[in-house]
Amino acid sequence: MLGARAWLGRVLLLPRAGAGLAASRRCPGVWPRTWPHRSPSRGSSSRDKDRSATVSSSVPMPAGGKGSHPSSAPQRVPNRLIHEKSPYLLQHAYNPVDWYPWGQEAFDKARKENKPIFLSVGYSTCHWCHMMEEESFQNEEIGRLLSEDFVSVKVDREERPDVDKVYMTFVQATSSGGGWPMNVWLTPNLQPFVGGTYFPPEDGLTRVGFRTVLLRIREQWKQNKNTLLENSQRVTTALLARSEISVGDRQLPPSAATMNNRCFQQLDEGYDEEYGGFAEAPKFPTPVILSFLFSYWLSHRLTQDGSRAQQMALHTLKMMANGGIRDHVGQGFHRYSTDRQWHVPHFEKMLYDQAQLAVAYSQAFQISGDEFYSDMAKGILQYVARSLSHRSGGFYSAEDADSPPERGMRPKEGAYYVWTVKEVQQLLPEPVLGATEPLTSGQLLMKHYGLTEAGNISPSQDPKGELQGQNVLTVRYSLELTAARFGLDVEAVRTLLNTGLEKLFQARKHRPKPHLDSKMLAAWNGLMVSGYAVTGAVLGQDRLINYATNGAKFLKRHMFDVASGRLMRTCYTGSGGTVEHSNPPCWGFLEDYAFVVRGLLDLYEASQESAWLEWALRLQDTQDRLFWDSQGGGYFCSEAELGAGLPLRLKDDQDGAEPSANSVSAHNLLRLHGFTGHKDWMDKCVCLLTAFSERMRRVPVALPEMVRALSAQQQTLKQIVICGDRQAKDTKALVQCVHSVYIPNKVLILADGDPSSFLSRQLPFLSTLRRLEDQATAYVCENQACSMPITDPCELRKLLHP
């Protein structure tokens, strides 16, 4: 890809190209850079029966080795991972593998004993990580190989995104795909020479097992170590050159209009007209794309392309909400759909998806006025409050896809979420009065949500037969059509379905729950603060804004070091609901700062409490100090000291399942400039956008969030100033008017008339703006010029959205 084969040397595919990505689709997240939202093997089932792994190497390896059978009773003797806090590492604490956490002890051992490092990266709710742990890492013979011939290192990708990104860059470049679990072999100097994703334990007719791969690499290390080291150095040098992002000799970023149009055209070409979304299968929510389309619509409202952008985003959100990717019983969204129709999901639920989708549905409500979208946003946040919230205000990372169908049974994917017809009939036997034919509540619900006796999951989506006879709820008809089918009133059908779903929800509580990853990440908590703050502001619900406030308080209390001004990356739920940290603490990465700063800016606009804005400025200063590239522009993903020893120091350059931290930082810098008037924020933003010029020009669809920031920078932000008392009704009415309108490129400022306040000190012109006749008064300012004073919310709305 992009000439990679020319410098990567020979690549050994075992047994076929693309298989490693197919194996990882149950735990994906990194797609080819040229099209970040599609699998290279488009259209094939994400539950492909052939789970062969792609192995990428800088030298050829001889054939050899046979599969082995896992031990029936793995020893319950803990390894050194038992002392870790990460739920993922603790899942491997009883493997018969001499695991090390990422750190100097492992590196020193590899150098002293002259052994290659086996690095295995995953996360605690990853289905195929569980599979490889069960099949291979619990295997006594494989455990001996890993312990005797390698220094085996386990990494939680959510704790160390820098380690994950460096070696995922290698795996992607050498195999045209990536995912988790990610398994990479390194020299003692941490340079990669072989990498892949999921490996089956044994050889098959069309695949080579993990044990065989280990034996081959062991043999190569003994016989051709110098060649391995030389090729590894060449690979690292080439990756470093290819991944460089720098201003170079460019003076300014590209034209926003050009990048916008190219990004839109690329999305338009890949759009699924029937089901929404931008791929065939698997299908991801990708809120950054929806956000781009809404922004594009706003600046092209009077054009055909603008209408098209709005339709694409709203249709996608509606199809997702009606599909099985949404949990109709308990709310929230699953990770992705394994099929084109959004029907059969991969059942894990990630915090970052809930956070971003809450914002996307809130924006859809602002734009359309359709309460369908606001109901979706509220449902997401209801799920997070119930299932992903720590009592002190923080937010947990994820819920697993797998759980036991009944206590004591082996976990199966989706067991907590799927239903048989028999179960529904038993739970909802009541007759429906007034129907044109004999009908029970269960039959009504099954018709509306597409449940069948045989199950509504295709065998092609269920190669292991775990979901046979089971059903995923997915809306098959509108309320009006279901009502007409049985001669019922629409509101009566709505009530019956809601009552039925509530009974299913109560029944589901008695099932064994999926594993909860109770690790709390600063970055994802920042996204969730945004989710609650934006939705609360749009819907005018203080209760939701309070969740955002409590989340921000949690971050400041438990994930912020006052002395150094630094964020911590992680904290963990201890016994009795306490909050614990690793020792030494895991310090924050760029995304932690960028996402928390965004959350604090959103929270200020929702609450008008300037303390959050002040803290955002402090964190931005720390981010600049730790991550800014003063030579090439833009931000590195990690601190120089934290990543010492890693062969690459990278800059995040793709808006995927989560937005790139550089894209979010570009927006943050613009907003901070709007809040303070400090020119250095704007200069940094322009420099950042210039550094990413080449990436945007080449594939703007890979950076839709940065293209949005580019547009905001070149169009200038609106400063909407409300002069008034924060608690007064007339002030709240004007503030709510602003929040009801979709205005992505704005900052909302409350001027309370106190010349010593934080914002008055930052923006002296605020002292010149007066209340009109002692009423709360709004001003809309652009390019250092303000509108006439406005006291009527309706007049303000006309000005904001002509």
mmCIF file of all heavy atoms in Angstrom, residues 313-352:
data_model
loop_
_atom_site.group_PDB
_atom_site.id
_atom_site.type_symbol
_atom_site.label_atom_id
_atom_site.label_comp_id
_atom_site.label_asym_id
_atom_site.label_seq_id
_atom_site.Cartn_x
_atom_site.Cartn_y
_atom_site.Cartn_z
ATOM 1 N N ALA A 313 -26.986 12.236 6.497
ATOM 2 C CA ALA A 313 -26.733 12.133 7.935
ATOM 3 C C ALA A 313 -27.997 11.727 8.693
ATOM 4 O O ALA A 313 -27.960 10.827 9.544
ATOM 5 C CB ALA A 313 -26.198 13.458 8.464
ATOM 6 N N LEU A 314 -29.123 12.378 8.398
ATOM 7 C CA LEU A 314 -30.349 12.072 9.127
ATOM 8 C C LEU A 314 -30.833 10.649 8.831
ATOM 9 O O LEU A 314 -31.290 9.931 9.732
ATOM 10 C CB LEU A 314 -31.448 13.079 8.766
ATOM 11 C CG LEU A 314 -31.235 14.525 9.242
ATOM 12 C CD1 LEU A 314 -32.369 15.419 8.763
ATOM 13 C CD2 LEU A 314 -31.107 14.596 10.768
ATOM 14 N N HIS A 315 -30.733 10.242 7.584
ATOM 15 C CA HIS A 315 -31.155 8.886 7.217
ATOM 16 C C HIS A 315 -30.291 7.846 7.921
ATOM 17 O O HIS A 315 -30.806 6.833 8.437
ATOM 18 C CB HIS A 315 -31.073 8.713 5.697
ATOM 19 C CG HIS A 315 -31.478 7.355 5.216
ATOM 20 N ND1 HIS A 315 -32.703 6.797 5.480
ATOM 21 C CD2 HIS A 315 -30.803 6.421 4.481
ATOM 22 C CE1 HIS A 315 -32.783 5.590 4.932
ATOM 23 N NE2 HIS A 315 -31.637 5.336 4.328
ATOM 24 N N THR A 316 -28.983 8.075 7.954
ATOM 25 C CA THR A 316 -28.076 7.138 8.631
ATOM 26 C C THR A 316 -28.425 7.023 10.110
ATOM 27 O O THR A 316 -28.511 5.920 10.670
ATOM 28 C CB THR A 316 -26.613 7.589 8.463
ATOM 29 O OG1 THR A 316 -26.274 7.557 7.068
ATOM 30 C CG2 THR A 316 -25.662 6.687 9.238
ATOM 31 N N LEU A 317 -28.643 8.164 10.766
ATOM 32 C CA LEU A 317 -28.981 8.141 12.191
ATOM 33 C C LEU A 317 -30.305 7.414 12.428
ATOM 34 O O LEU A 317 -30.457 6.686 13.415
ATOM 35 C CB LEU A 317 -29.053 9.566 12.730
ATOM 36 C CG LEU A 317 -27.699 10.251 12.956
ATOM 37 C CD1 LEU A 317 -27.884 11.742 13.169
ATOM 38 C CD2 LEU A 317 -26.972 9.634 14.154
ATOM 39 N N LYS A 318 -31.269 7.597 11.530
ATOM 40 C CA LYS A 318 -32.574 6.939 11.710
ATOM 41 C C LYS A 318 -32.446 5.437 11.494
ATOM 42 O O LYS A 318 -33.013 4.640 12.253
ATOM 43 C CB LYS A 318 -33.600 7.539 10.747
ATOM 44 C CG LYS A 318 -35.017 7.029 10.977
ATOM 45 C CD LYS A 318 -36.083 8.038 10.543
ATOM 46 C CE LYS A 318 -36.313 9.118 11.553
ATOM 47 N NZ LYS A 318 -37.507 9.959 11.276
ATOM 48 N N MET A 319 -31.706 5.028 10.477
ATOM 49 C CA MET A 319 -31.553 3.597 10.208
ATOM 50 C C MET A 319 -30.781 2.913 11.330
ATOM 51 O O MET A 319 -31.089 1.768 11.707
ATOM 52 C CB MET A 319 -30.850 3.381 8.861
ATOM 53 C CG MET A 319 -31.640 3.867 7.660
ATOM 54 S SD MET A 319 -33.292 3.136 7.520
ATOM 55 C CE MET A 319 -32.865 1.448 7.090
ATOM 56 N N MET A 320 -29.784 3.581 11.860
ATOM 57 C CA MET A 320 -29.053 3.027 13.004
ATOM 58 C C MET A 320 -29.979 2.869 14.202
ATOM 59 O O MET A 320 -29.958 1.846 14.897
ATOM 60 C CB MET A 320 -27.883 3.937 13.376
ATOM 61 C CG MET A 320 -26.680 3.821 12.461
ATOM 62 S SD MET A 320 -25.499 5.164 12.719
ATOM 63 C CE MET A 320 -25.465 5.294 14.490
ATOM 64 N N ALA A 321 -30.785 3.873 14.461
ATOM 65 C CA ALA A 321 -31.674 3.846 15.627
ATOM 66 C C ALA A 321 -32.727 2.752 15.508
ATOM 67 O O ALA A 321 -33.153 2.169 16.506
ATOM 68 C CB ALA A 321 -32.351 5.204 15.801
ATOM 69 N N ASN A 322 -33.162 2.455 14.281
ATOM 70 C CA ASN A 322 -34.152 1.404 14.074
ATOM 71 C C ASN A 322 -33.524 0.020 14.001
ATOM 72 O O ASN A 322 -34.216 -0.990 14.154
ATOM 73 C CB ASN A 322 -34.945 1.669 12.791
ATOM 74 C CG ASN A 322 -35.935 2.810 12.955
ATOM 75 O OD1 ASN A 322 -36.399 3.090 14.053
ATOM 76 N ND2 ASN A 322 -36.247 3.485 11.863
ATOM 77 N N GLY A 323 -32.230 -0.041 13.763
ATOM 78 C CA GLY A 323 -31.564 -1.321 13.570
ATOM 79 C C GLY A 323 -31.178 -2.008 14.874
ATOM 80 O O GLY A 323 -31.337 -1.474 15.975
ATOM 81 N N GLY A 324 -30.630 -3.203 14.722
ATOM 82 C CA GLY A 324 -30.204 -3.970 15.884
ATOM 83 C C GLY A 324 -28.945 -3.452 16.526
ATOM 84 O O GLY A 324 -28.591 -3.886 17.633
ATOM 85 N N ILE A 325 -28.231 -2.523 15.878
ATOM 86 C CA ILE A 325 -27.052 -1.932 16.494
ATOM 87 C C ILE A 325 -27.450 -1.130 17.735
ATOM 88 O O ILE A 325 -26.640 -0.912 18.630
ATOM 89 C CB ILE A 325 -26.275 -1.055 15.482
ATOM 90 C CG1 ILE A 325 -24.906 -0.658 16.053
ATOM 91 C CG2 ILE A 325 -27.089 0.158 15.068
ATOM 92 C CD1 ILE A 325 -24.026 0.077 15.065
ATOM 93 N N ARG A 326 -28.723 -0.707 17.780
ATOM 94 C CA ARG A 326 -29.247 -0.061 18.981
ATOM 95 C C ARG A 326 -29.884 -1.112 19.889
ATOM 96 O O ARG A 326 -30.566 -2.017 19.405
ATOM 97 C CB ARG A 326 -30.293 0.989 18.603
ATOM 98 C CG ARG A 326 -30.957 1.637 19.815
ATOM 99 C CD ARG A 326 -31.913 2.744 19.410
ATOM 100 N NE ARG A 326 -32.904 2.977 20.446
ATOM 101 C CZ ARG A 326 -34.215 2.986 20.268
ATOM 102 N NH1 ARG A 326 -34.715 2.796 19.057
ATOM 103 N NH2 ARG A 326 -35.038 3.188 21.268
ATOM 104 N N ASP A 327 -29.643 -0.979 21.172
ATOM 105 C CA ASP A 327 -30.257 -1.864 22.156
ATOM 106 C C ASP A 327 -31.649 -1.312 22.475
ATOM 107 O O ASP A 327 -31.791 -0.394 23.273
ATOM 108 C CB ASP A 327 -29.382 -1.923 23.408
ATOM 109 C CG ASP A 327 -29.980 -2.779 24.518
ATOM 110 O OD1 ASP A 327 -31.033 -3.398 24.287
ATOM 111 O OD2 ASP A 327 -29.383 -2.822 25.605
ATOM 112 N N HIS A 328 -32.674 -1.860 21.834
ATOM 113 C CA HIS A 328 -34.036 -1.339 21.989
ATOM 114 C C HIS A 328 -34.589 -1.584 23.387
ATOM 115 O O HIS A 328 -35.493 -0.867 23.820
ATOM 116 C CB HIS A 328 -34.956 -1.966 20.944
ATOM 117 C CG HIS A 328 -34.615 -1.579 19.542
ATOM 118 N ND1 HIS A 328 -35.129 -0.464 18.926
ATOM 119 C CD2 HIS A 328 -33.763 -2.143 18.652
ATOM 120 C CE1 HIS A 328 -34.634 -0.377 17.696
ATOM 121 N NE2 HIS A 328 -33.796 -1.376 17.514
ATOM 122 N N VAL A 329 -34.055 -2.556 24.085
ATOM 123 C CA VAL A 329 -34.546 -2.880 25.420
ATOM 124 C C VAL A 329 -33.884 -2.014 26.483
ATOM 125 O O VAL A 329 -34.558 -1.462 27.361
ATOM 126 C CB VAL A 329 -34.322 -4.375 25.724
ATOM 127 C CG1 VAL A 329 -34.672 -4.708 27.175
ATOM 128 C CG2 VAL A 329 -35.151 -5.237 24.771
ATOM 129 N N GLY A 330 -32.580 -1.886 26.429
ATOM 130 C CA GLY A 330 -31.860 -1.163 27.479
ATOM 131 C C GLY A 330 -31.210 0.127 27.048
ATOM 132 O O GLY A 330 -30.541 0.786 27.846
ATOM 133 N N GLN A 331 -31.391 0.501 25.758
ATOM 134 C CA GLN A 331 -30.833 1.742 25.198
ATOM 135 C C GLN A 331 -29.309 1.640 25.030
ATOM 136 O O GLN A 331 -28.684 0.676 25.421
ATOM 137 C CB GLN A 331 -31.219 2.958 26.021
ATOM 138 C CG GLN A 331 -32.715 3.172 26.160
ATOM 139 C CD GLN A 331 -33.416 3.256 24.809
ATOM 140 O OE1 GLN A 331 -32.941 3.894 23.882
ATOM 141 N NE2 GLN A 331 -34.556 2.595 24.687
ATOM 142 N N GLY A 332 -28.743 2.672 24.446
ATOM 143 C CA GLY A 332 -27.330 2.647 24.101
ATOM 144 C C GLY A 332 -27.112 1.928 22.777
ATOM 145 O O GLY A 332 -28.010 1.240 22.251
ATOM 146 N N PHE A 333 -25.912 2.089 22.224
ATOM 147 C CA PHE A 333 -25.584 1.502 20.927
ATOM 148 C C PHE A 333 -24.434 0.517 21.057
ATOM 149 O O PHE A 333 -23.477 0.751 21.786
ATOM 150 C CB PHE A 333 -25.200 2.603 19.919
ATOM 151 C CG PHE A 333 -26.392 3.292 19.318
ATOM 152 C CD1 PHE A 333 -27.103 4.236 20.030
ATOM 153 C CD2 PHE A 333 -26.817 2.986 18.034
ATOM 154 C CE1 PHE A 333 -28.205 4.876 19.490
ATOM 155 C CE2 PHE A 333 -27.920 3.614 17.470
ATOM 156 C CZ PHE A 333 -28.623 4.566 18.202
ATOM 157 N N HIS A 334 -24.564 -0.579 20.315
ATOM 158 C CA HIS A 334 -23.483 -1.550 20.237
ATOM 159 C C HIS A 334 -22.370 -1.003 19.336
ATOM 160 O O HIS A 334 -22.549 -0.013 18.625
ATOM 161 C CB HIS A 334 -24.006 -2.880 19.707
ATOM 162 C CG HIS A 334 -25.052 -3.506 20.582
ATOM 163 N ND1 HIS A 334 -24.792 -3.929 21.867
ATOM 164 C CD2 HIS A 334 -26.369 -3.766 20.363
ATOM 165 C CE1 HIS A 334 -25.891 -4.438 22.403
ATOM 166 N NE2 HIS A 334 -26.868 -4.345 21.508
ATOM 167 N N ARG A 335 -21.256 -1.716 19.341
ATOM 168 C CA ARG A 335 -20.037 -1.208 18.714
ATOM 169 C C ARG A 335 -20.176 -1.005 17.204
ATOM 170 O O ARG A 335 -19.758 -0.002 16.670
ATOM 171 C CB ARG A 335 -18.880 -2.172 19.033
ATOM 172 C CG ARG A 335 -17.545 -1.784 18.443
ATOM 173 C CD ARG A 335 -17.030 -0.501 19.070
ATOM 174 N NE ARG A 335 -15.940 0.044 18.285
ATOM 175 C CZ ARG A 335 -16.090 0.901 17.299
ATOM 176 N NH1 ARG A 335 -17.283 1.296 16.928
ATOM 177 N NH2 ARG A 335 -15.046 1.369 16.653
ATOM 178 N N TYR A 336 -20.720 -1.988 16.501
ATOM 179 C CA TYR A 336 -20.917 -1.846 15.052
ATOM 180 C C TYR A 336 -21.829 -2.961 14.571
ATOM 181 O O TYR A 336 -22.148 -3.894 15.311
ATOM 182 C CB TYR A 336 -19.589 -1.878 14.282
ATOM 183 C CG TYR A 336 -18.797 -3.158 14.429
ATOM 184 C CD1 TYR A 336 -18.954 -4.215 13.540
ATOM 185 C CD2 TYR A 336 -17.859 -3.310 15.447
ATOM 186 C CE1 TYR A 336 -18.229 -5.377 13.664
ATOM 187 C CE2 TYR A 336 -17.118 -4.467 15.583
ATOM 188 C CZ TYR A 336 -17.309 -5.506 14.689
ATOM 189 O OH TYR A 336 -16.581 -6.671 14.825
ATOM 190 N N SER A 337 -22.251 -2.848 13.332
ATOM 191 C CA SER A 337 -23.100 -3.862 12.721
ATOM 192 C C SER A 337 -22.251 -4.774 11.846
ATOM 193 O O SER A 337 -21.395 -4.309 11.089
ATOM 194 C CB SER A 337 -24.185 -3.198 11.869
ATOM 195 O OG SER A 337 -24.903 -4.163 11.136
ATOM 196 N N THR A 338 -22.513 -6.079 11.934
ATOM 197 C CA THR A 338 -21.754 -7.018 11.115
ATOM 198 C C THR A 338 -22.319 -7.132 9.703
ATOM 199 O O THR A 338 -21.731 -7.793 8.855
ATOM 200 C CB THR A 338 -21.763 -8.419 11.760
ATOM 201 O OG1 THR A 338 -23.115 -8.894 11.805
ATOM 202 C CG2 THR A 338 -21.192 -8.373 13.174
ATOM 203 N N ASP A 339 -23.482 -6.513 9.473
ATOM 204 C CA ASP A 339 -24.115 -6.586 8.161
ATOM 205 C C ASP A 339 -24.449 -5.191 7.655
ATOM 206 O O ASP A 339 -24.377 -4.211 8.395
ATOM 207 C CB ASP A 339 -25.393 -7.431 8.228
ATOM 208 C CG ASP A 339 -26.367 -6.891 9.262
ATOM 209 O OD1 ASP A 339 -27.080 -5.920 8.952
ATOM 210 O OD2 ASP A 339 -26.388 -7.399 10.404
ATOM 211 N N ARG A 340 -24.845 -5.124 6.425
ATOM 212 C CA ARG A 340 -25.135 -3.846 5.780
ATOM 213 C C ARG A 340 -26.383 -3.180 6.356
ATOM 214 O O ARG A 340 -26.522 -1.959 6.357
ATOM 215 C CB ARG A 340 -25.319 -4.103 4.281
ATOM 216 C CG ARG A 340 -25.647 -2.878 3.467
ATOM 217 C CD ARG A 340 -25.986 -3.264 2.039
ATOM 218 N NE ARG A 340 -26.617 -2.149 1.344
ATOM 219 C CZ ARG A 340 -27.428 -2.281 0.302
ATOM 220 N NH1 ARG A 340 -27.699 -3.484 -0.182
ATOM 221 N NH2 ARG A 340 -27.963 -1.213 -0.250
ATOM 222 N N GLN A 341 -27.319 -3.963 6.890
ATOM 223 C CA GLN A 341 -28.633 -3.455 7.288
ATOM 224 C C GLN A 341 -28.659 -2.898 8.720
ATOM 225 O O GLN A 341 -29.730 -2.548 9.201
ATOM 226 C CB GLN A 341 -29.682 -4.580 7.181
ATOM 227 C CG GLN A 341 -29.953 -5.033 5.760
ATOM 228 C CD GLN A 341 -28.951 -6.077 5.271
ATOM 229 O OE1 GLN A 341 -28.093 -6.536 6.020
ATOM 230 N NE2 GLN A 341 -29.056 -6.441 4.004
ATOM 231 N N TRP A 342 -27.539 -2.854 9.418
ATOM 232 C CA TRP A 342 -27.478 -2.457 10.834
ATOM 233 C C TRP A 342 -28.244 -3.456 11.711
ATOM 234 O O TRP A 342 -28.670 -3.121 12.812
ATOM 235 C CB TRP A 342 -28.068 -1.056 11.074
ATOM 236 C CG TRP A 342 -27.475 0.059 10.291
ATOM 237 C CD1 TRP A 342 -28.042 0.697 9.228
ATOM 238 C CD2 TRP A 342 -26.218 0.702 10.504
ATOM 239 N NE1 TRP A 342 -27.226 1.687 8.769
ATOM 240 C CE2 TRP A 342 -26.091 1.715 9.536
ATOM 241 C CE3 TRP A 342 -25.180 0.524 11.434
ATOM 242 C CZ2 TRP A 342 -24.971 2.550 9.451
ATOM 243 C CZ3 TRP A 342 -24.072 1.341 11.357
ATOM 244 C CH2 TRP A 342 -23.972 2.347 10.368
ATOM 245 N N HIS A 343 -28.403 -4.688 11.259
ATOM 246 C CA HIS A 343 -29.275 -5.640 11.947
ATOM 247 C C HIS A 343 -28.549 -6.387 13.070
ATOM 248 O O HIS A 343 -28.917 -6.283 14.239
ATOM 249 C CB HIS A 343 -29.864 -6.627 10.918
ATOM 250 C CG HIS A 343 -30.711 -7.698 11.523
ATOM 251 N ND1 HIS A 343 -31.025 -8.850 10.856
ATOM 252 C CD2 HIS A 343 -31.301 -7.806 12.741
ATOM 253 C CE1 HIS A 343 -31.786 -9.621 11.636
ATOM 254 N NE2 HIS A 343 -31.957 -9.007 12.784
ATOM 255 N N VAL A 344 -27.526 -7.182 12.715
ATOM 256 C CA VAL A 344 -26.839 -8.014 13.719
ATOM 257 C C VAL A 344 -25.585 -7.286 14.194
ATOM 258 O O VAL A 344 -24.649 -7.096 13.425
ATOM 259 C CB VAL A 344 -26.471 -9.389 13.140
ATOM 260 C CG1 VAL A 344 -25.818 -10.257 14.219
ATOM 261 C CG2 VAL A 344 -27.707 -10.083 12.575
ATOM 262 N N PRO A 345 -25.575 -6.870 15.444
ATOM 263 C CA PRO A 345 -24.417 -6.099 15.906
ATOM 264 C C PRO A 345 -23.296 -6.981 16.427
ATOM 265 O O PRO A 345 -23.499 -8.167 16.709
ATOM 266 C CB PRO A 345 -25.012 -5.281 17.064
ATOM 267 C CG PRO A 345 -26.037 -6.189 17.659
ATOM 268 C CD PRO A 345 -26.623 -6.962 16.483
ATOM 269 N N HIS A 346 -22.114 -6.406 16.524
ATOM 270 C CA HIS A 346 -21.132 -6.913 17.482
ATOM 271 C C HIS A 346 -21.523 -6.251 18.787
ATOM 272 O O HIS A 346 -21.580 -5.032 18.874
ATOM 273 C CB HIS A 346 -19.716 -6.549 17.070
ATOM 274 C CG HIS A 346 -18.703 -6.881 18.113
ATOM 275 N ND1 HIS A 346 -18.690 -8.096 18.752
ATOM 276 C CD2 HIS A 346 -17.710 -6.158 18.665
ATOM 277 C CE1 HIS A 346 -17.711 -8.105 19.641
ATOM 278 N NE2 HIS A 346 -17.109 -6.938 19.609
ATOM 279 N N PHE A 347 -21.790 -7.042 19.828
ATOM 280 C CA PHE A 347 -22.625 -6.574 20.931
ATOM 281 C C PHE A 347 -21.912 -5.729 21.986
ATOM 282 O O PHE A 347 -22.562 -5.270 22.919
ATOM 283 C CB PHE A 347 -23.291 -7.767 21.608
ATOM 284 C CG PHE A 347 -24.346 -8.429 20.767
ATOM 285 C CD1 PHE A 347 -24.031 -9.469 19.904
ATOM 286 C CD2 PHE A 347 -25.666 -8.017 20.833
ATOM 287 C CE1 PHE A 347 -24.999 -10.081 19.131
ATOM 288 C CE2 PHE A 347 -26.650 -8.621 20.058
ATOM 289 C CZ PHE A 347 -26.303 -9.657 19.212
ATOM 290 N N GLU A 348 -20.604 -5.556 21.904
ATOM 291 C CA GLU A 348 -19.977 -4.748 22.961
ATOM 292 C C GLU A 348 -20.444 -3.296 22.862
ATOM 293 O O GLU A 348 -20.824 -2.817 21.791
ATOM 294 C CB GLU A 348 -18.450 -4.829 22.893
ATOM 295 C CG GLU A 348 -17.815 -4.078 21.747
ATOM 296 C CD GLU A 348 -16.301 -4.282 21.687
ATOM 297 O OE1 GLU A 348 -15.631 -4.043 22.706
ATOM 298 O OE2 GLU A 348 -15.807 -4.693 20.618
ATOM 299 N N LYS A 349 -20.426 -2.614 23.987
ATOM 300 C CA LYS A 349 -20.832 -1.213 24.046
ATOM 301 C C LYS A 349 -19.664 -0.394 24.585
ATOM 302 O O LYS A 349 -19.159 -0.675 25.675
ATOM 303 C CB LYS A 349 -22.046 -1.037 24.961
ATOM 304 C CG LYS A 349 -23.358 -1.602 24.422
ATOM 305 C CD LYS A 349 -24.473 -1.369 25.434
ATOM 306 C CE LYS A 349 -25.831 -1.767 24.898
ATOM 307 N NZ LYS A 349 -26.904 -1.562 25.917
ATOM 308 N N MET A 350 -19.265 0.631 23.821
ATOM 309 C CA MET A 350 -18.112 1.448 24.177
ATOM 310 C C MET A 350 -18.576 2.835 24.625
ATOM 311 O O MET A 350 -19.476 3.425 24.030
ATOM 312 C CB MET A 350 -17.172 1.595 22.980
ATOM 313 C CG MET A 350 -16.793 0.290 22.297
ATOM 314 S SD MET A 350 -15.961 -0.895 23.374
ATOM 315 C CE MET A 350 -14.415 -0.047 23.680
ATOM 316 N N LEU A 351 -17.917 3.358 25.654
ATOM 317 C CA LEU A 351 -18.279 4.677 26.164
ATOM 318 C C LEU A 351 -18.134 5.744 25.085
ATOM 319 O O LEU A 351 -18.980 6.628 24.953
ATOM 320 C CB LEU A 351 -17.405 5.034 27.376
ATOM 321 C CG LEU A 351 -17.717 6.377 28.031
ATOM 322 C CD1 LEU A 351 -19.073 6.359 28.718
ATOM 323 C CD2 LEU A 351 -16.624 6.756 29.044
ATOM 324 N N TYR A 352 -17.050 5.672 24.290
ATOM 325 C CA TYR A 352 -16.822 6.753 23.328
ATOM 326 C C TYR A 352 -17.886 6.793 22.241
ATOM 327 O O TYR A 352 -18.189 7.862 21.708
ATOM 328 C CB TYR A 352 -15.410 6.675 22.716
ATOM 329 C CG TYR A 352 -15.082 5.405 21.969
ATOM 330 C CD1 TYR A 352 -15.526 5.185 20.676
ATOM 331 C CD2 TYR A 352 -14.263 4.434 22.553
ATOM 332 C CE1 TYR A 352 -15.201 4.034 19.984
ATOM 333 C CE2 TYR A 352 -13.926 3.278 21.873
ATOM 334 C CZ TYR A 352 -14.398 3.079 20.591
ATOM 335 O OH TYR A 352 -14.071 1.932 19.906
#
